[in-house]
Amino acid sequence: MLRNNLRDEFRRGEAGTAVYEGSSVIPMRENLSFVKETFDPNVPFGVTIEDRFANGKVPLNDSLTLNLDQGHTLSCRYLINPSTSSKFMYKVQRQRNVWWMRYACVPGRFFISDPRQDADTRVQSVAIKSRLGGEELTLEQLELFPADAAALEEELGDFRIKVGRTSSKRIRPSMLRLRQCVEVVTLQIVLDAFESGGDASVRIHRKLAPFSVASCVFPTTRLMPELRDLAKHLCNVLRKANLTVLDCSERNGGRSLANQLHHLDSIAVPYCCCCASSVSRISDLPEYLLKIVTS
């Protein structure tokens, strides 16, 4: 669930730029044709694609490699006017670094690497990295392909963009490719949470947490059956609002409320609805919690 939440946040793209979801089973040029025919967007815009791989090795830095039996690569290819491509790359790399800082417990661990440019292909590249456990780890890579790059022949095919709103001339765009390994990203979030939370809790941002809210009951013998029914009803109401809910009404085992909350802290559940005697206006809770979780 954490991995899926990270996927969803990545696919939202960067502020102010339209992003469309593509398919890995067809070439990029066919994805672009579909986007153009369906949405006819103006540049810049992006297309996200998820690829699966087996028995892969993901480099974390010059000396560390993560071996995965199964893995997933998320990429977003932004099509850009060549005249503004460098400016766009600079903006996106800063936005991506801020993205990591926003969701991390220790924002200062993330940084942008020094830019590089291949002498032959003129492809510019930077990476978003983190400092963790005495190592510098690569989390994302950004590569800017110039409009005349040979690699774009296969990627873009005959896709062209207008030079201006009134001109009929069409040119090949530049492309900014952003890539990350889903498993590496998930591992980074988990390690950041454990390193920062200490022994008593795991700290994960509310938008990424596997469960948005838990439903538990105040331990009382007299009202326990009624409270459990109420907690289950509350779970159903919240789930219909697309909130991920952990039902703890049957699992408390007579534990005190403090112990229940301590357990929820240890598994990174950011919010809890506790049924103590009665709950009024349950219908208002989904909207209230959605505002908190998505803010």
Side-chain angles (χ1 to χ4, degrees):
M1 295 173 72
L2 171 61
R3 185 168 59 182
N4 290 338
N5 291 343
L6 284 164
R7 279 193 182 101
D8 292 341
E9 290 301 313
F10 179 87
R11 287 169 175 155
R12 296 183 197 279
E14 304 310 317
T17 305
V19 173
Y20 306 93
E21 190 164 348
S23 171
S24 61
V25 300
I26 59 175
M28 180 60 185
R29 59 181 181 275
E30 293 185 23
N31 279 298
L32 287 174
S33 296
F34 173 79
V35 169
K36 183 178 180 181
E37 293 173 3
T38 307
F39 304 102
D40 192 24
N42 295 319
V43 293
F45 69 89
V47 178
T48 62
I49 293 177
E50 180 173 352
D51 290 294
R52 296 182 179 182
F53 62 86
N55 301 319
K57 295 184 177 182
V58 182
L60 301 177
N61 57 28
D62 293 337
S63 59
L64 292 177
T65 300
L66 181 64
N67 297 322
L68 295 172
D69 294 333
Q70 300 286 335
H72 304 77
T73 300
L74 272 176
S75 65
C76 186
R77 292 164 171 83
Y78 290 100
L79 284 303
I80 323 157
N81 191 314
S83 63
T84 59
S85 59
S86 296
K87 181 179 178 181
F88 185 82
M89 181 181 186
Y90 179 75
K91 182 183 76 170
V92 170
Q93 72 187 40
R94 290 181 61 85
Q95 288 177 334
R96 292 306 302 169
N97 194 52
V98 170
W99 185 92
W100 278 101
M101 295 171 67
R102 181 169 66 245
Y103 290 131
C105 299
V106 184
R109 72 167 79 246
F110 301 98
F111 65 99
I112 303 171
S113 70
D114 293 332
R116 297 181 179 180
Q117 180 168 325
D118 186 277
D120 297 325
T121 63
R122 295 185 295 112
V123 173
Q124 302 175 47
S125 62
V126 296
I128 308 298
K129 297 188 174 185
S130 73
R131 297 181 180 92
L132 189 66
E135 297 282 350
E136 293 185 357
L137 308 179
T138 299
L139 304 176
E140 295 183 358
Q141 293 180 324
L142 292 86
E143 299 167 294
L144 177 61
F145 295 83
D148 58 355
L152 295 190
E153 286 284 354
E154 179 66 22
E155 287 269 337
L156 305 186
D158 59 357
F159 182 82
R160 298 293 185 269
I161 61 171
K162 291 182 180 180
V163 175
R165 293 184 178 180
T166 59
S167 174
S168 60
K169 183 180 179 181
R170 293 179 176 271
I171 60 173
R172 180 193 291 169
S174 299
M175 185 180 76
L176 176 64
R177 182 173 64 189
L178 169 64
R179 291 185 298 168
Q180 62 172 222
C181 174
V182 178
E183 285 70 25
V184 170
V185 171
T186 305
L187 179 62
Q188 167 65 46
I189 293 295
V190 171
L191 292 177
D192 176 71
F194 274 99
E195 185 179 82
S196 309
D199 298 331
S201 64
V202 177
R203 300 170 58 191
I204 295 179
H205 194 279
R206 61 185 180 275
K207 287 187 177 181
L208 303 180
F211 292 100
S212 301
V213 61
S215 175
C216 66
V217 297
F218 188 84
T220 170
T221 304
R222 183 173 61 86
L223 294 175
M224 188 62 73
E226 291 84 352
L227 293 181
R228 283 177 175 166
D229 290 342
L230 181 59
K232 290 184 180 299
H233 174 62
L234 180 60
C235 286
N236 292 332
V237 171
L238 296 176
R239 285 168 180 159
K240 287 181 180 179
N242 292 324
L243 286 166
T244 52
V245 185
L246 178 63
D247 183 4
C248 300
S249 60
E250 298 286 351
R251 309 178 190 179
N252 65 348
R255 291 183 296 181
S256 67
L257 180 60
N259 285 338
Q260 293 184 63
L261 296 178
H262 177 78
H263 172 67
L264 295 176
D265 283 342
S266 69
I267 58 174
V269 181
Y271 301 103
C272 175
C273 292
C274 180
C275 300
S277 58
S278 63
V279 178
S280 61
R281 301 180 67 86
I282 286 181
S283 59
D284 293 341
L285 275 175
E287 182 180 358
Y288 174 72
L289 288 171
L290 275 172
K291 287 181 179 179
I292 295 176
V293 172
T294 59
S295 62

